[in-house]
Amino acid sequence: LDSMTYDRLGIKEQDALEFYSAHPDSFRFDDRWAEVIHLGFLHFEDADTAAQKLNANPKKLDSLLVSYNFDHQLVQFGHLPEILDSVIFKLSVSKRFRGPIETDHGHHLLLVKKRYEKGNRIPFVFVREKLIQALAQANYYSTKSMILDSLYKDFYDRL
């Protein structure tokens, strides 16, 4: 029954986008956030070499990044080591990677793509997957109920 239900849910990206567009105040930042590309390294030399390579040709960033293990994510102010927070939230936004920055967890390179203040709208790309899941979950029980009704009707019609 569960597999039948999930097969029929059929929530698509367009459904999520329509919901997002219809509820603009539901997708607001509750604090200061930033969109960041983060690379972590154990050794300073590796981080420094990567920074030089990545900053040498920012126009080819996407093709250069595939050589590294990186995170493209939203980060909230106050949830990272203070030195990383300072780089992300105090220095100007740049098309260049900052670093290497040393912490207890290694050496970091950071590229701040954009900053968001409290109350700014969260871009759809960052809520898309969770929104699709939430819409699917919201429709799950009604879809399952319709399938059960159909199965019961089919069963009783055969009697």
Side-chain angles (χ1 to χ4, degrees):
L1 183 60
D2 282 339
S3 65
M4 288 175 69
T5 303
Y6 283 113
D7 288 345
R8 291 192 188 174
L9 280 174
I11 302 295
K12 296 182 177 40
E13 183 171 336
Q14 184 61 34
D15 300 319
L17 184 57
E18 287 172 10
F19 186 90
Y20 175 84
S21 297
H23 300 87
D25 290 333
S26 298
F27 303 97
R28 300 280 177 191
F29 287 105
D30 58 354
D31 199 354
R32 293 171 57 198
W33 289 75
E35 178 184 352
V36 175
I37 296 177
H38 168 259
L39 290 86
F41 299 87
L42 291 176
H43 305 289
F44 174 86
E45 294 78 17
D46 296 336
D48 191 48
T49 300
Q52 290 176 32
K53 223 183 262 189
L54 293 166
N55 287 331
N57 198 345
K59 291 183 180 179
K60 292 188 176 182
L61 181 62
D62 290 340
S63 61
L64 291 171
L65 275 175
V66 297
S67 306
Y68 300 98
N69 185 12
F70 70 95
D71 294 312
H72 183 186
Q73 60 191 349
L74 286 176
V75 295
Q76 186 176 10
F77 179 74
H79 287 97
L80 296 172
E82 189 175 335
I83 190 165
L84 297 181
D85 257 359
S86 292
V87 170
I88 293 169
F89 292 98
K90 292 182 181 167
L91 296 179
S92 62
V93 173
S94 170
K95 293 186 186 288
R96 298 179 57 78
F97 276 88
R98 307 282 185 164
I101 304 154
E102 185 175 5
T103 70
D104 292 342
H105 304 287
H107 303 274
H108 309 268
L109 300 179
L110 298 170
L111 175 64
V112 179
K113 303 281 281 181
K114 189 167 182 176
R115 285 198 200 99
Y116 302 94
E117 296 299 321
K118 181 178 180 176
N120 287 155
R121 190 150 192 224
I122 302 170
F124 178 69
V125 67
F126 293 112
V127 296
R128 178 181 53 225
E129 292 304 317
K130 286 185 180 182
L131 190 50
I132 289 171
Q133 290 173 2
L135 290 172
Q137 188 65 34
N139 291 321
Y140 176 81
Y141 292 107
S142 61
T143 302
K144 190 172 187 176
S145 178
M146 288 189 310
I147 291 170
L148 280 173
D149 289 347
S150 173
L151 291 172
Y152 286 137
K153 183 182 180 316
D154 187 46
F155 174 76
Y156 286 113
D157 285 349
R158 291 179 189 214
L159 289 179

mmCIF file of all heavy atoms in Angstrom, residues 16 19-29 119-123 127 131:
data_model
loop_
_atom_site.group_PDB
_atom_site.id
_atom_site.type_symbol
_atom_site.label_atom_id
_atom_site.label_comp_id
_atom_site.label_asym_id
_atom_site.label_seq_id
_atom_site.Cartn_x
_atom_site.Cartn_y
_atom_site.Cartn_z
ATOM 1 N N ALA A 16 5.992 22.454 -5.973
ATOM 2 C CA ALA A 16 6.721 23.122 -4.891
ATOM 3 C C ALA A 16 6.904 24.607 -5.207
ATOM 4 O O ALA A 16 6.725 25.461 -4.334
ATOM 5 C CB ALA A 16 8.070 22.445 -4.671
ATOM 6 N N PHE A 19 3.664 26.488 -4.630
ATOM 7 C CA PHE A 19 3.425 26.680 -3.199
ATOM 8 C C PHE A 19 4.331 27.781 -2.661
ATOM 9 O O PHE A 19 3.891 28.657 -1.919
ATOM 10 C CB PHE A 19 3.661 25.372 -2.429
ATOM 11 C CG PHE A 19 3.298 25.463 -0.983
ATOM 12 C CD1 PHE A 19 2.018 25.160 -0.559
ATOM 13 C CD2 PHE A 19 4.237 25.858 -0.040
ATOM 14 C CE1 PHE A 19 1.671 25.261 0.789
ATOM 15 C CE2 PHE A 19 3.911 25.964 1.303
ATOM 16 C CZ PHE A 19 2.624 25.660 1.711
ATOM 17 N N TYR A 20 5.597 27.741 -3.044
ATOM 18 C CA TYR A 20 6.581 28.745 -2.627
ATOM 19 C C TYR A 20 6.131 30.139 -3.055
ATOM 20 O O TYR A 20 6.176 31.089 -2.271
ATOM 21 C CB TYR A 20 7.931 28.384 -3.253
ATOM 22 C CG TYR A 20 9.040 29.379 -3.035
ATOM 23 C CD1 TYR A 20 9.797 29.366 -1.863
ATOM 24 C CD2 TYR A 20 9.372 30.310 -4.019
ATOM 25 C CE1 TYR A 20 10.838 30.265 -1.676
ATOM 26 C CE2 TYR A 20 10.409 31.205 -3.833
ATOM 27 C CZ TYR A 20 11.141 31.185 -2.664
ATOM 28 O OH TYR A 20 12.172 32.076 -2.480
ATOM 29 N N SER A 21 5.668 30.259 -4.285
ATOM 30 C CA SER A 21 5.230 31.560 -4.815
ATOM 31 C C SER A 21 3.967 32.060 -4.125
ATOM 32 O O SER A 21 3.796 33.260 -3.911
ATOM 33 C CB SER A 21 4.993 31.462 -6.317
ATOM 34 O OG SER A 21 6.196 31.138 -6.972
ATOM 35 N N ALA A 22 3.091 31.126 -3.758
ATOM 36 C CA ALA A 22 1.825 31.497 -3.130
ATOM 37 C C ALA A 22 1.973 31.839 -1.643
ATOM 38 O O ALA A 22 1.068 32.433 -1.055
ATOM 39 C CB ALA A 22 0.811 30.356 -3.296
ATOM 40 N N HIS A 23 3.087 31.460 -1.035
ATOM 41 C CA HIS A 23 3.297 31.685 0.404
ATOM 42 C C HIS A 23 4.639 32.383 0.659
ATOM 43 O O HIS A 23 5.506 31.841 1.353
ATOM 44 C CB HIS A 23 3.246 30.347 1.154
ATOM 45 C CG HIS A 23 1.959 29.628 1.012
ATOM 46 N ND1 HIS A 23 1.705 28.767 -0.043
ATOM 47 C CD2 HIS A 23 0.831 29.670 1.746
ATOM 48 C CE1 HIS A 23 0.485 28.292 0.086
ATOM 49 N NE2 HIS A 23 -0.072 28.825 1.154
ATOM 50 N N PRO A 24 4.811 33.598 0.148
ATOM 51 C CA PRO A 24 6.121 34.256 0.253
ATOM 52 C C PRO A 24 6.584 34.511 1.685
ATOM 53 O O PRO A 24 7.780 34.471 1.965
ATOM 54 C CB PRO A 24 5.937 35.563 -0.515
ATOM 55 C CG PRO A 24 4.473 35.794 -0.538
ATOM 56 C CD PRO A 24 3.824 34.444 -0.523
ATOM 57 N N ASP A 25 5.680 34.740 2.601
ATOM 58 C CA ASP A 25 6.090 35.031 3.979
ATOM 59 C C ASP A 25 6.461 33.781 4.768
ATOM 60 O O ASP A 25 6.979 33.889 5.877
ATOM 61 C CB ASP A 25 4.993 35.808 4.710
ATOM 62 C CG ASP A 25 4.877 37.230 4.172
ATOM 63 O OD1 ASP A 25 5.892 37.750 3.659
ATOM 64 O OD2 ASP A 25 3.782 37.812 4.241
ATOM 65 N N SER A 26 6.221 32.611 4.210
ATOM 66 C CA SER A 26 6.570 31.365 4.892
ATOM 67 C C SER A 26 8.040 31.000 4.721
ATOM 68 O O SER A 26 8.527 30.100 5.383
ATOM 69 C CB SER A 26 5.719 30.215 4.349
ATOM 70 O OG SER A 26 4.364 30.460 4.604
ATOM 71 N N PHE A 27 8.734 31.695 3.839
ATOM 72 C CA PHE A 27 10.109 31.338 3.517
ATOM 73 C C PHE A 27 11.020 32.555 3.736
ATOM 74 O O PHE A 27 11.524 33.147 2.797
ATOM 75 C CB PHE A 27 10.200 30.816 2.082
ATOM 76 C CG PHE A 27 9.290 29.649 1.850
ATOM 77 C CD1 PHE A 27 8.037 29.823 1.283
ATOM 78 C CD2 PHE A 27 9.666 28.376 2.246
ATOM 79 C CE1 PHE A 27 7.188 28.753 1.095
ATOM 80 C CE2 PHE A 27 8.820 27.307 2.066
ATOM 81 C CZ PHE A 27 7.581 27.492 1.490
ATOM 82 N N ARG A 28 11.189 32.899 4.995
ATOM 83 C CA ARG A 28 12.005 34.050 5.382
ATOM 84 C C ARG A 28 13.115 33.591 6.329
ATOM 85 O O ARG A 28 12.914 32.684 7.143
ATOM 86 C CB ARG A 28 11.156 35.104 6.107
ATOM 87 C CG ARG A 28 10.013 35.646 5.286
ATOM 88 C CD ARG A 28 10.474 36.684 4.340
ATOM 89 N NE ARG A 28 9.369 37.155 3.494
ATOM 90 C CZ ARG A 28 9.546 37.896 2.453
ATOM 91 N NH1 ARG A 28 10.750 38.285 2.109
ATOM 92 N NH2 ARG A 28 8.535 38.274 1.718
ATOM 93 N N PHE A 29 14.259 34.225 6.220
ATOM 94 C CA PHE A 29 15.351 33.930 7.142
ATOM 95 C C PHE A 29 15.012 34.473 8.520
ATOM 96 O O PHE A 29 14.492 35.583 8.646
ATOM 97 C CB PHE A 29 16.663 34.555 6.645
ATOM 98 C CG PHE A 29 17.253 33.848 5.471
ATOM 99 C CD1 PHE A 29 17.174 34.390 4.200
ATOM 100 C CD2 PHE A 29 17.906 32.627 5.632
ATOM 101 C CE1 PHE A 29 17.729 33.737 3.112
ATOM 102 C CE2 PHE A 29 18.461 31.968 4.546
ATOM 103 C CZ PHE A 29 18.369 32.519 3.288
ATOM 104 N N GLY A 119 14.724 38.244 7.799
ATOM 105 C CA GLY A 119 13.551 38.725 7.067
ATOM 106 C C GLY A 119 13.660 38.617 5.559
ATOM 107 O O GLY A 119 12.653 38.664 4.864
ATOM 108 N N ASN A 120 14.888 38.461 5.033
ATOM 109 C CA ASN A 120 15.031 38.253 3.587
ATOM 110 C C ASN A 120 14.380 36.935 3.188
ATOM 111 O O ASN A 120 14.332 35.989 3.982
ATOM 112 C CB ASN A 120 16.497 38.198 3.170
ATOM 113 C CG ASN A 120 17.220 39.529 3.193
ATOM 114 O OD1 ASN A 120 18.419 39.557 3.332
ATOM 115 N ND2 ASN A 120 16.513 40.638 3.056
ATOM 116 N N ARG A 121 13.920 36.872 1.963
ATOM 117 C CA ARG A 121 13.296 35.640 1.456
ATOM 118 C C ARG A 121 14.357 34.590 1.156
ATOM 119 O O ARG A 121 15.394 34.891 0.553
ATOM 120 C CB ARG A 121 12.498 35.937 0.196
ATOM 121 C CG ARG A 121 11.638 34.744 -0.227
ATOM 122 C CD ARG A 121 10.409 35.209 -0.928
ATOM 123 N NE ARG A 121 9.482 34.097 -1.055
ATOM 124 C CZ ARG A 121 8.823 33.832 -2.153
ATOM 125 N NH1 ARG A 121 8.954 34.608 -3.208
ATOM 126 N NH2 ARG A 121 7.996 32.823 -2.204
ATOM 127 N N ILE A 122 14.106 33.363 1.573
ATOM 128 C CA ILE A 122 15.008 32.251 1.296
ATOM 129 C C ILE A 122 14.838 31.863 -0.171
ATOM 130 O O ILE A 122 13.716 31.619 -0.615
ATOM 131 C CB ILE A 122 14.700 31.036 2.195
ATOM 132 C CG1 ILE A 122 14.800 31.420 3.674
ATOM 133 C CG2 ILE A 122 15.629 29.865 1.861
ATOM 134 C CD1 ILE A 122 14.286 30.362 4.625
ATOM 135 N N PRO A 123 15.914 31.811 -0.949
ATOM 136 C CA PRO A 123 15.792 31.410 -2.355
ATOM 137 C C PRO A 123 15.215 29.996 -2.495
ATOM 138 O O PRO A 123 15.514 29.101 -1.693
ATOM 139 C CB PRO A 123 17.234 31.457 -2.865
ATOM 140 C CG PRO A 123 17.927 32.403 -1.951
ATOM 141 C CD PRO A 123 17.280 32.200 -0.607
ATOM 142 N N VAL A 127 15.097 25.621 -0.513
ATOM 143 C CA VAL A 127 13.954 24.992 0.159
ATOM 144 C C VAL A 127 13.264 23.958 -0.727
ATOM 145 O O VAL A 127 12.352 23.268 -0.275
ATOM 146 C CB VAL A 127 12.921 26.042 0.640
ATOM 147 C CG1 VAL A 127 13.527 26.951 1.689
ATOM 148 C CG2 VAL A 127 12.344 26.839 -0.507
ATOM 149 N N LEU A 131 10.584 21.231 0.612
ATOM 150 C CA LEU A 131 9.218 21.584 0.262
ATOM 151 C C LEU A 131 8.539 20.452 -0.500
ATOM 152 O O LEU A 131 7.378 20.123 -0.230
ATOM 153 C CB LEU A 131 9.209 22.879 -0.551
ATOM 154 C CG LEU A 131 7.869 23.534 -0.811
ATOM 155 C CD1 LEU A 131 7.052 23.689 0.460
ATOM 156 C CD2 LEU A 131 8.075 24.893 -1.459
#
